Structure formats: structure tokens, C-alpha cells
Amino acid sequence: MNSRRDFLKHASLFALGGMLAGKAGNAVAAQPATAAVTKVDAAKRIGLQIYSLGPELDKDVPGGMKRLKQMGYQTLELAGYNNGKVRGIDMMEFKKMADDAGLEILSSHVNPPVREYTKENLNTIKEYWKKTADDHAKMGAKYLVQPGQPSTRSVEETKYVCEVFNEAGKIVKAAGLPFGYHNHDMEFAKVVPGGTEMKFGRHNKGEKVYDIFLANTDPSLVFFEMDVYWAVMGQQDPVEYLKKYADRIKLLHIKDRYVLGASGMMNFEQIFKQFYANGYTDYFVEVEDINSGHQFQGVKDSADYLLNASFVK
Ligand code: MG
């Protein structure tokens, strides 16, 4: 049993290292380039985290949304909410622009105004979630997600953050939305009791911040949106997390170093298979390099990758 488990683990790590990436790459390459967008592909429900477009979107939001629809995107996850506005535009106006382009706003990334969570600022955080949740419920969003990691330098601090996440979850749930948390790589660093910093590395003792989040948040109040690229950058296999926490990870950020599939370091085929096997379907493409001046191209190339991938429904 052990040797089989070790083998599977080994195989999985190979995939992370890109050694099996050729397998996924071949699956894509095996399709003729002319098969680009079939009718079946056009029905794929591809989402985009609009952070990917950076300032390029702000030049012409209605026009940019129409371009996204033409590329094959169907849903959006917002970024840039602030006090009833999204990127400086009234939320309901922003929603109308999406509606007019035929895009559905499913989710939104929002962060409370403080990074250090204390008993003293708990009310500030709660008030933030009340207004933010009400605003998003009014707009018709289906998920509300926190993407910024609060300060977690010790086990105790991390567990207090979990208490605050549960409180946020209650408030957001009362408004009719589920509350989720989105990771970067630092959540896979470890903390110790009484510690003063997070540390990466298998030789360091302690618990991973992400694992503490999973163990100490109430599944009825807090779900997880796993950014699979940042999980890999945190030296983890997202597929293992998807298997182990099949009912907690309900959304994905599908992301690569830049354009999807180009680096060879992401095993998207296995990630999608496990996510679907878990019973979930909503995900958002995210493309980095948001100030490149080529954001729309990166976002289009990433949509093409998914439209051509036989493992994406
Ligand atoms: Mg992300």
C-alpha cells in the first residue's frame, strides 16, 4: 500500500514539475487547430476574474465586456469593489454593462479594510461585511470571496482569523450569499504556537495556515476558492487538496504563470477532472501581468486554451 501511495504521490509531483504536462499538452495538440470553437465548445461556461484585465478594461468597460463575450466568456468575478462601486462605477451600472454584453456576474473579490484582526477592530470588520454583502446581494452575485490574507504569524493569530471568517460567513449568509476565501502561496507556509512569522519548507515544524483555515472554519459558513497556480507556487498539489476537501473547495481560480497551459507546470486536466468529480463547475480564469498592455490578448489566449481542451466541459 505504501509503495503504491508513494508512487501516486510521486506521479503527482511529476505532474507539478511539468513532466506529465506533455500528456495534457498532447491532448490539446491532438485536436486540429481548426477545431477552435465548435458549438459544443461555445456552451462552455468559462468565467473570468476581471483583475486579469487591469487598467486596460477601464478604458472602455462596456466595449471590453462585449469583447470578453466574443472570446467565449460567460461569467465574471469582480475585483475592485469599494463602497457601492466597482472600479469607480456604480455597482448597478456595472451590472447593467455586464447584462448588456450577455455576461453574468457570479462572484466578487472584496477585502475588509484592516489586515490585522483584533478584538478591537472586530466591529469594523463586521460592519464592512454587512454593507458589502447587502450591496452584492442587491446586485445578484452568487458568491462573495475574500482574496487577501489577514495577518497570520502564529497558530493563535491564525485561529482568531478563523473565528472572524466564521463571523463574516454568518453575516454574508444572512444576506443570502456564501462567504469564501481565496488563497495565494503564503497560506501554505507554516506557523507554530506563539510564533512571530510564517515559514515555508518541509523541514520547518508547524501547521500550514491553509490547513488551519480548513480545520477551524465552519463548513456551513466558509467555503474555499482555490487558486490552483498559487497552490502550486506554495509547493502543493491542488488535486490532492481537491480530493481531501471535496466539499469545501467550491470555486477555482484557473491560472498559470501567464497564459493558461503555456508554462507546462499546471496539470489542468487532472484539476478539472477532480473538480467535476466533486460536483462543482464554477471557476474563473485569472491571467497575471496585468500591466503588460496585452491583457486582452492573454485573456483571449487563455479562453482559447479552455475552448480547445477536451477535459473542460
Ligand atoms: Mg487568484
Side-chain angles (χ1 to χ4, degrees):
M1 278 301 285
N2 271 346
S3 62
R4 177 173 157 75
R5 199 177 302 142
D6 287 345
F7 169 76
L8 289 173
K9 195 170 183 192
H10 197 50
S12 172
L13 289 172
F14 267 4
L16 291 185
M19 293 192 70
L20 284 183
K23 194 182 160 202
N26 286 342
V28 174
Q31 298 184 2
T34 50
V37 184
T38 65
K39 278 184 182 172
V40 174
D41 288 339
K44 289 183 182 181
R45 194 168 143 90
I46 302 175
L48 180 74
Q49 163 51 254
I50 65 166
Y51 164 85
S52 312
L53 294 167
E56 210 173 326
L57 176 63
D58 299 327
K59 292 177 193 164
D60 174 13
V61 176
M65 295 237 198
K66 284 173 188 140
R67 286 171 75 183
L68 294 177
K69 179 71 178 181
Q70 283 164 4
M71 292 175 193
Y73 287 98
Q74 301 209 19
T75 67
L76 298 180
E77 180 176 68
L78 304 181
Y81 164 85
N82 183 21
N83 199 23
K85 294 184 174 182
V86 175
R87 302 169 87 96
I89 299 170
D90 178 86
M91 286 177 85
M92 297 311 283
E93 255 180 70
F94 202 91
K95 175 181 159 46
K96 184 166 186 322
M97 292 173 188
D99 286 346
D100 289 348
L103 296 168
E104 182 185 358
I105 296 172
L106 267 191
S107 177
S108 183
H109 272 197
V110 296
N111 277 312
V114 292
R115 186 152 180 270
E116 303 266 342
Y117 289 3
T118 63
K119 301 249 184 307
E120 288 69 38
N121 66 24
L122 180 58
N123 269 337
T124 304
I125 297 170
K126 285 165 88 167
E127 280 164 20
Y128 171 84
W129 283 115
K130 176 83 176 78
K131 161 132 182 80
T132 303
D134 287 346
D135 280 353
H136 283 82
K138 189 175 151 200
M139 195 185 56
K142 301 287 190 298
Y143 306 94
L144 200 50
V145 179
Q146 172 169 344
Q149 184 178 4
S151 181
T152 52
R153 290 164 292 206
S154 65
V155 169
E156 295 83 356
E157 207 171 42
T158 308
K159 286 189 175 173
Y160 184 65
V161 165
C162 294
E163 281 182 44
V164 178
F165 282 171
N166 285 333
E167 288 299 317
K170 280 181 209 163
I171 295 164
V172 175
K173 190 177 183 178
L177 292 166
F179 165 79
Y181 181 76
H182 160 285
N183 63 284
H184 291 87
D185 53 349
M186 286 307 291
E187 288 85 348
F188 300 101
K190 291 173 184 169
V191 286
V192 294
T196 55
E197 62 177 326
M198 298 179 278
K199 282 186 181 172
F200 267 116
R202 63 198 168 102
H203 296 300
N204 283 316
K205 288 189 171 61
E207 282 179 88
K208 291 185 204 109
V209 169
Y210 200 70
D211 294 352
I212 297 175
F213 283 175
L214 280 157
N216 292 275
T217 52
D218 181 339
S220 73
L221 299 173
V222 181
F223 78 90
F224 290 79
E225 176 184 65
M226 177 167 261
D227 186 310
V228 295
Y229 169 81
W230 284 119
V232 168
M233 293 303 281
Q235 302 170 17
Q236 307 304 310
D237 181 348
V239 178
E240 282 186 19
Y241 268 96
L242 285 168
K243 283 180 181 164
K244 191 169 176 187
Y245 299 100
D247 57 346
R248 303 294 308 274
I249 302 170
K250 301 185 179 184
L251 290 178
L252 293 181
H253 264 200
I254 294 296
K255 173 168 154 59
D256 204 331
R257 193 177 294 280
Y258 181 48
V259 171
L260 296 186
S263 76
M265 67 182 278
M266 298 299 302
N267 194 336
F268 289 120
E269 181 166 7
Q270 293 307 317
I271 289 166
F272 272 98
K273 275 186 180 163
Q274 191 58 49
F275 190 54
Y276 292 144
N278 291 354
Y280 297 106
T281 55
D282 288 332
Y283 62 89
F284 302 99
V285 170
E286 189 174 29
V287 182
E288 277 294 341
D289 209 8
I290 62 161
N291 292 307
S292 66
H294 302 97
Q295 294 100 313
F296 273 93
Q297 192 60 49
V299 163
K300 182 185 186 310
D301 291 345
S302 294
D304 286 346
Y305 172 82
L306 296 176
L307 290 170
N308 281 308
S310 58
F311 53 82
V312 176
K313 288 181 191 169

